[in-house]
Amino acid sequence: MKLSIIGTGYVGLTTGTCFAEVGHEVTCVDNNEEKVRTLLDGKIPIYEPGLAELVKKNVAAGRLKFTTSTPEGVQDGEVIFIAVPTPPQPDGSVDLSYIEKVAREIAEALTPDLGYRVIVDKSTVPVKTGHKVAETVRRYAEPGVDFGVVSNPEFLREGCAVQDLLEPDRIVFGANDERAVTLMNRIYEPFVAPVLVTDMESAELIKHAANSFLALKISYINAVARICEQSGADIEKVAEGIGMDHRIGRSFLNAGLGYGGSCFPKDIKAFIAISESLGYPFELLKQVEEVNETQRELFLGKIRDKLWVLQDKKIALWGLTFKQNTDDVRESVAMKLAGQMLEEGAEVVAWDPQGIGTARKFGNLSGKITYADDMYSCLDGAEALVIGTEWPEFANADLAEVAKRLRTPLVFDGRNLLDPHTASAKGLEYYSVGRPAVGVTDSAAAAV
Ligand code: UGA
C-alpha cells in the first residue's frame, strides 16, 4: 500500500521505515530541511539499534523516500499518518498546535479527485483529538473531499523500537468509519500480532492509560523501596516475589531513580490535565508523579549524607541517557541529578556509552559537566561513583578496577545494577535503592 508519514521524528521515522520493511511504499515528510537532507544522504539523526540498516535497505529498494513537501505526501499516501511532536505546555496539557497545523496542511492539499484518504493520528494525544482533526480537515478542505480519521497509538520503546514495531505485542486502532478500518487492517496484515479495533476515543485513551499504568508500577515499587530501606528488607527480593504472580508480572518493577524520557513525564501530566478537564481529578496519578520527583531527592540525600558537602568534590557519573540503549537525554533523571550535584558545587565527570554527544548538544549543562574518554578513566581520583542509567555495561563492570580507580571506594547505584555482596567483596562501600547498604565504613563510629 502507499503510505505517508508526516513528521520524521522518533515515531515517524521508525514507523515509516518498518512499514517499508514489510512491503509498503512509504513517503516520509518533514519540514526540517536539514533533517531530510541528512536522511537523503543515508544518515539517520537518532541512535536506534538496527534502524540505519533498515533505512538504507528500504531506500535502496525504492520503498522509502523523504521529502519536505506535505502536498507530495498527501498525493502519495492513500493513508496519511500524523507523527509530529505533542510537547507539554506549562500547565501540563498538550500543545496540539503542530497537529492542528498538519491537519490544515493536509486539508489544503486534499482534492476530490484523490478519492478516499485516511488520516491517522500516530502522535500521543489527549482523548478527543481525532474529532478535532476531522473537524479541522473538513473546515479547510475543498467541498467533495472524502476522508476518514483514525487513532492508531504507538507503543514502541526507544532502544528496541525496530523490534517493537516489527513484532508488536498488539496493534490498536480506533475509527468510527468502516472504510478506514478496512484500509487499516490491510496495512497491518503483514504483522503477526493481535489487532484491537475500537472507537476513536478508546484508542486515544489506551495510549495514555497504558503509559500511566507503567509509570504507576515504577512509582509503586519505588514507594515500596522506601519501606524496604526503613525496615531492612530487600526491594529486589520483594519485586521478585510479587512479580511471580502472573497477574502482576516482574517487568517495570525495577526500583531506582524513577522514570524519565520524552514520554512518561509528559504523558502522565497530559493524562492528569485531560482527566481534570473532563471533570475527574486523577489524584492517583498525581501521587505517581510525586513519588517520581522525590525519588531523585532521596537518592541525592544519601550522597550528601556520606560526602557531607558536595562543593569541590569530584564525582564520577555513569549514565546520562534516560535509559539504556538510546542516546536520548530528554527528561533524563541522570542529567537532572548531574545538574543538582553541579549546583551544589561538585565537579561532575560523566561517561555514557551513547549519550555524550546528545548531552553536549541538548543537555543544557554543556560546559559544566566534564565528559570522560571512557568508562574507567571517568573514575580516576573521584570521591564517589554515581550510577544514573541502567546500561548493561555498568552492571558488568570490573568492580576491582572501580575500587582501584576511585579516590574513596564509594558507589551510589541509582539503578540497582550491581550485586551488593560482590560490590562489598571488591572493597566498595555500596549504596543502592531499597536495599541495605554494604561495606559501610563509619569513620565517626570507628573513632569513638
Ligand atoms: C515508553 C513505553 O514503555 C512505550 O510502550 C511507549 O510507546 C513509549 O513510552 C511512548 O509513549 O512512545 P520509553 O519512553 O522508550 O517507552 O521508555 P521505557 O522503556 O518505558 O522507560 C521509561 C523510563 O522508566 C526510563 O527512564 C526507565 O529508566 C524507567 N524505568 C523503566 C524504571 O525506572 N523502572 C522500570 O522498571 C522500568
Side-chain angles (χ1 to χ4, degrees):
M1 284 178 75
K2 289 182 167 232
L3 311 176
S4 293
I5 318 272
I6 319 282
T8 320
Y10 225 106
V11 170
L13 179 61
T14 45
T15 307
T17 306
C18 291
F19 278 152
E21 176 66 13
V22 299
H24 298 306
E25 268 178 63
V26 182
T27 302
C28 285
V29 182
D30 203 290
N31 63 4
N32 181 334
E33 285 182 18
E34 195 192 323
K35 194 190 266 182
V36 170
R37 244 196 324 272
T38 307
L39 288 161
L40 289 171
D41 283 349
K43 295 185 205 107
I44 64 162
I46 50 172
Y47 169 78
E48 184 60 41
L51 184 62
E53 294 78 357
L54 283 195
V55 170
K56 224 175 180 172
K57 177 180 158 197
N58 285 285
V59 168
R63 287 191 299 264
L64 181 62
K65 67 173 186 173
F66 300 99
T67 173
T68 52
S69 161
T70 302
E72 189 181 333
V74 172
Q75 280 291 325
D76 286 355
E78 195 178 346
V79 178
I80 304 154
F81 289 79
I82 303 178
V84 293
T86 49
Q89 308 201 86
D91 69 352
S93 66
V94 178
D95 174 358
L96 291 168
S97 58
Y98 297 101
I99 300 264
E100 194 266 351
K101 184 166 167 279
V102 169
R104 258 188 295 134
E105 286 172 2
I106 294 172
E108 281 154 10
L110 282 171
T111 48
D113 62 294
L114 287 175
Y116 181 67
R117 288 283 197 260
V118 176
I119 300 162
V120 184
D121 181 27
K122 259 271 166 225
S123 306
T124 300
V125 292
V127 61
K128 288 170 162 307
T129 301
H131 273 291
K132 287 282 181 202
V133 168
E135 224 173 77
T136 305
V137 175
R138 215 169 290 125
R139 188 175 311 138
Y140 289 94
E142 58 179 278
V145 158
D146 191 13
F147 70 96
V149 173
V150 170
S151 164
N152 176 209
E154 186 45 67
F155 302 109
L156 66 84
R157 291 162 299 171
E158 291 186 22
C160 40
V162 170
Q163 191 199 335
D164 282 352
L165 279 160
L166 292 176
E167 296 157 34
D169 278 354
R170 82 290 209 192
I171 290 157
V172 173
F173 59 82
N176 300 334
D177 157 7
E178 271 313 308
R179 284 185 298 170
V181 172
T182 307
L183 285 177
M184 293 302 290
N185 274 324
R186 272 182 50 210
I187 294 176
Y188 284 108
E189 225 164 68
F191 296 84
V192 186
V195 178
L196 177 69
V197 183
T198 68
D199 57 279
M200 203 150 58
E201 293 70 26
S202 302
E204 289 170 332
L205 254 180
I206 284 169
K207 175 63 192 249
H208 268 157
N211 273 6
S212 298
F213 188 77
L214 291 169
L216 182 137
K217 274 187 103 175
I218 298 170
S219 279
Y220 179 79
I221 204 68
N222 282 335
V224 176
R226 296 177 190 189
I227 315 291
C228 288
E229 288 184 6
Q230 298 309 317
S231 60
D234 179 338
I235 193 64
E236 296 302 315
K237 295 279 176 239
V238 175
E240 197 182 333
I242 60 179
M244 284 164 86
D245 182 331
H246 69 271
R247 295 169 303 173
I248 298 173
R250 174 65 182 82
S251 66
F252 276 74
L253 288 180
N254 295 323
L257 285 163
Y259 61 80
S262 66
C263 301
F264 284 0
K266 168 181 84 107
D267 291 352
I268 280 80
K269 277 197 174 19
F271 201 25
I272 291 171
I274 186 76
S275 307
E276 199 107 44
S277 77
L278 293 170
Y280 178 63
F282 214 144
E283 299 300 333
L284 180 63
L285 286 186
K286 291 182 192 165
Q287 281 296 308
V288 168
E289 275 196 316
E290 155 79 14
V291 170
N292 201 55
E293 277 303 308
T294 46
Q295 197 65 5
R296 190 176 68 247
E297 193 45 47
L298 288 174
F299 187 72
L300 205 55
K302 292 182 192 173
I303 302 175
R304 281 194 210 106
D305 268 358
K306 198 66 209 175
L307 293 182
W308 193 14
V309 276
L310 269 66
Q311 181 77 38
D312 297 329
K313 299 247 163 83
K314 180 173 174 182
I315 297 177
L317 174 66
W318 275 358
L320 292 163
T321 53
F322 83 97
K323 66 170 191 180
Q324 82 285 23
N325 291 334
T326 179
D327 65 354
D328 196 343
V329 297
R330 286 176 292 172
E331 289 293 316
S332 157
V333 184
M335 291 291 286
K336 288 185 182 169
L337 199 61
Q340 276 173 280
M341 294 192 294
L342 286 164
E343 236 168 63
E344 293 181 32
E347 180 198 348
V348 176
V349 185
W351 163 254
D352 188 283
Q354 291 295 335
I356 293 179
T358 35
R360 270 192 219 278
K361 209 162 156 193
F362 306 111
N364 81 35
L365 293 173
S366 302
K368 296 183 191 145
I369 300 186
T370 311
Y371 297 102
D373 293 332
D374 64 73
M375 186 167 139
Y376 292 105
S377 68
C378 177
L379 309 168
D380 288 337
E383 309 267 352
L385 164 64
V386 173
I387 303 180
T389 310
E390 61 273 47
W391 283 95
E393 33 278 81
F394 302 156
N396 299 321
D398 176 347
L399 298 185
E401 188 66 16
V402 172
K404 199 169 92 191
R405 298 254 190 166
L406 286 171
R407 180 165 177 215
T408 37
L410 269 176
V411 176
F412 298 93
D413 180 356
R415 298 292 175 181
N416 286 2
L417 294 185
L418 307 183
D419 171 50
H421 299 292
T422 316
S424 104
K426 299 288 177 189
L428 296 171
E429 183 170 337
Y430 177 72
Y431 298 85
S432 53
V433 178
R435 301 187 292 186
V438 293
V440 178
T441 53
D442 186 342
S443 48
V448 176

